[in-house]
Amino acid sequence: MATRVDDDGRPMRTGTWVTASAHIITAVIGSGVLSLAWAIAQLGWVAGPATLIIFSLVTLFTSTLLADAYRHLDPVTGQRNYTYMDAVRTHLGGVKVRLCGLAQYANLVGVTVGYTITASICMGSVRRNKCLHAEDNCHVSTTIYMIIFCCIQLILCQVPNFHKLSWISILAAVMSITYSFIGLGLSVAKVAAGAEATTTWPTVSEAQRLWKIFQAIGNIAFAYAYSTVLIEIQDTLKSSPAENKTMKRASFVGISTTTIFYLLCGCVGYAAFGEDAPGDLLSGFHQSLWLLIVANVSVAIHLIGAYQVFAQPIFSLVESSCRQRWPEVKFVTADHQITIPFLGGTGFHVNCFRLVWRSAYVAVTTVLAMLLPFFNVFMALIGAASFWPLTVYFAIEMYIARAKLPKFSFSWMGLQALSMACLLVSLVAAAGSVEGLIQSLKVYHPFKN
Ligand SMILES: *[C@@H]1O[C@H](CO)[C@@H](O)[C@H](O)[C@H]1NC(C)=O
């Protein structure tokens, strides 16, 4: 079997701007889209959409900077770096590499745990919706759904690399568009039915209002977080046209699609519910049972795919460092070929280490999800704290190093000002989520939600 290789000796990459956009939409839209009506309700009609648009522009800008960091010096012939951390090591070096790694992998691990929780809540609410219609008081435990999610991931996580995940990503992107449309449609119907959305501020103290505004800013900032996987996505692209061009195009398509959805779902949801917009848009509707079931199932399928998009960089980091450390150990390096009947006879590579470690990872995230049902608030903290370093700081610093911008030049000052403004946003959002975390710890019961 002739395997074609790229300039760096790795198997030929085949990704295009379509697959990259699908990865981006899958990674970005997340179920965060369903909380945007809540976020916009906290910020109001002017500041809400404005914040969304500002964050989309900032993300678009910094992601074009990041796309140029993939190849060193020359965008066509320069040497590749395969991960965010490698790019930071090449351009900046020193302690920043560690900090970048810490922020990136804490974020990735956090996202996988958070998605396990959200997916199981969604699967649970399919059942809850059904039984709410049958009887009045029904309790649905999410633990069983976490176990189902875990079993699905145990199978999917054996897909060897990002590269081979495109079909899952495309499916997940379609799912996210599906449930966004359903949320949108139900909100439109509610507005059309003349729902009595309250337009007065709810009776909460000024301090509480401020915390909520902070949390809302955090939600919006976090709704665009995909810099953690940007370079890894770029590493799936074929090399002609140049990867950075393709990636910029994919970022533009991905981010503008996402922003349109965010604006629609956020604003229409706010129009439908007013100040009472629920944290999860779908949970606010009680009619249209079938649509809600379809929507929740799509969220769950989307999260199944998104889990993989975020877990693959963790898998490959651990696997490549183990291969480097123990090149002699067969358990770690040997690939066993297994041919599965009916699957075209192409064969299927099994690696014992991959089988064991990835299964263990999935199991651990599931247990964490069961232990920490309030984890999503914690996730908001990780998201807020990593927004600035990952989306803004390293992207800008790498650009400054690459372009050799003189200190205190005009563009240098502009970039630093942008960076400082985003740092402020990150701090404010982190403060909001710490407050939220304190509130949820007050009502903490493990294994129950
Ligand atoms: C990243 O790029 C630099 C500069 O070309 C190169 O020296 C380094 O080996 C690359 N790192 C990896 C892990 O490929």
Side-chain angles (χ1 to χ4, degrees):
M1 193 167 61
T3 45
R4 296 188 305 154
V5 293
D6 267 331
D7 52 22
D8 60 344
R10 295 205 172 181
M12 193 79 144
R13 295 164 177 81
T14 53
T16 61
W17 69 270
V18 178
T19 58
S21 309
H23 286 313
I24 295 174
I25 294 176
T26 305
V28 179
I29 288 199
S31 46
V33 65
L34 296 173
S35 73
L36 286 177
W38 178 85
I40 288 190
Q42 310 311 311
L43 295 169
W45 277 119
V46 179
T51 315
L52 258 176
I53 290 173
I54 291 170
F55 276 111
S56 72
L57 292 177
V58 169
T59 311
L60 190 58
F61 174 66
T62 57
S63 60
T64 56
L65 298 185
L66 275 180
D68 288 331
Y70 174 64
R71 281 187 189 259
H72 196 51
L73 302 178
D74 188 282
V76 178
T77 55
Q79 202 176 341
R80 301 164 192 259
N81 277 147
Y82 305 111
T83 63
Y84 201 149
M85 250 172 107
D86 289 338
V88 170
R89 184 177 292 119
T90 304
H91 290 94
L92 304 171
V95 70
K96 286 176 182 163
V97 182
R98 297 247 172 97
L99 289 178
C100 171
L102 184 68
Q104 186 189 8
Y105 291 98
N107 201 319
L108 292 174
V109 173
V111 168
T112 55
V113 178
Y115 281 3
T116 308
I117 297 176
T118 315
S120 57
I121 291 176
C122 284
M123 292 193 260
S125 68
V126 169
R127 217 180 106 65
R128 190 156 30 237
N129 275 334
K130 263 191 178 157
C131 81
L132 269 182
H133 279 245
E135 54 200 287
D136 264 337
N137 197 354
C138 71
H139 176 74
V140 179
S141 157
T142 52
T143 308
I144 179 76
Y145 297 102
M146 287 186 187
I147 292 170
I148 296 175
F149 186 82
C150 174
C151 294
I152 297 172
Q153 295 303 345
L154 283 176
I155 298 168
L156 285 183
C157 74
Q158 294 305 323
V159 174
N161 55 41
F162 218 143
H163 223 107
K164 304 233 156 94
L165 268 179
S166 301
W167 63 275
I168 301 183
S169 252
I170 290 176
L171 176 69
V174 169
M175 289 297 139
S176 57
I177 290 173
T178 307
Y179 66 72
S180 305
F181 264 120
I182 294 179
L184 188 63
L186 288 174
S187 305
V188 168
K190 195 166 154 83
V191 174
E196 66 292 4
T198 51
T199 44
T200 53
W201 298 120
T203 49
V204 292
S205 70
E206 285 295 308
Q208 273 173 320
R209 262 198 69 68
L210 197 63
W211 286 126
K212 291 221 158 116
I213 289 177
F214 287 178
Q215 286 165 7
I217 293 176
N219 275 10
I220 293 178
F222 192 38
Y224 284 104
Y226 82 108
S227 344
T228 39
V229 285
L230 190 147
I231 292 186
E232 283 81 351
I233 292 175
Q234 192 162 351
D235 192 39
T236 65
L237 295 176
K238 59 181 174 196
S239 46
S240 143
E243 295 92 351
N244 65 338
K245 285 217 183 90
T246 313
M247 197 61 199
K248 286 174 193 173
R249 183 170 180 193
S251 294
F252 181 76
V253 172
I255 292 182
S256 42
T257 312
T258 314
T259 306
I260 292 170
F261 270 109
Y262 282 179
L263 281 175
L264 281 174
C265 286
C267 293
V268 179
Y270 179 37
F273 289 98
E275 303 301 325
D276 306 323
D280 166 13
L281 187 61
L282 292 176
S283 74
F285 301 104
H286 299 291
Q287 65 286 64
S288 320
L289 184 61
W290 276 108
L291 275 181
L292 284 179
I293 290 180
V294 173
N296 277 305
V297 169
S298 332
V299 177
I301 296 178
H302 172 208
L303 291 177
I304 288 170
Y307 181 101
Q308 287 299 320
V309 172
F310 284 92
Q312 285 290 339
I314 308 175
F315 294 159
S316 73
L317 175 80
V318 170
E319 280 154 30
S320 62
S321 32
C322 286
R323 265 169 211 265
Q324 264 175 14
R325 188 159 307 173
W326 299 289
E328 322 276 74
V329 181
K330 277 265 159 25
F331 176 70
V332 177
T333 54
D335 263 342
H336 304 281
Q337 183 142 359
I338 291 178
T339 315
I340 301 175
F342 312 120
L343 276 183
T346 44
F348 187 72
H349 294 274
V350 174
N351 170 285
C352 297
F353 176 65
R354 183 162 71 210
L355 193 67
V356 173
W357 129 255
R358 293 190 181 189
S359 308
Y361 181 84
V362 170
V364 168
T365 53
T366 309
V367 171
L368 278 179
M370 289 174 182
L371 281 174
L372 307 170
F374 59 86
F375 187 82
N376 282 340
V377 197
F378 193 58
M379 200 47 232
L381 177 61
I382 299 179
S386 59
F387 164 73
W388 176 68
L390 293 176
T391 303
V392 184
Y393 177 76
F394 288 121
I396 286 181
E397 290 295 309
M398 285 198 281
Y399 173 75
I400 290 178
R402 199 167 53 241
K404 302 200 175 62
L405 288 186
K407 265 189 183 170
F408 305 109
S409 64
F410 186 69
S411 11
W412 187 89
M413 302 238 276
L415 289 172
Q416 295 296 348
L418 176 65
S419 178
M420 286 302 120
C422 291
L423 173 61
L424 197 68
V425 168
S426 238
L427 289 177
V428 153
S433 52
V434 168
E435 156 73 12
L437 195 58
I438 293 171
Q439 295 302 331
S440 0
L441 277 174
K442 285 184 185 160
V443 289
Y444 171 52
H445 303 288
F447 290 103
K448 228 186 202 173
N449 34 25

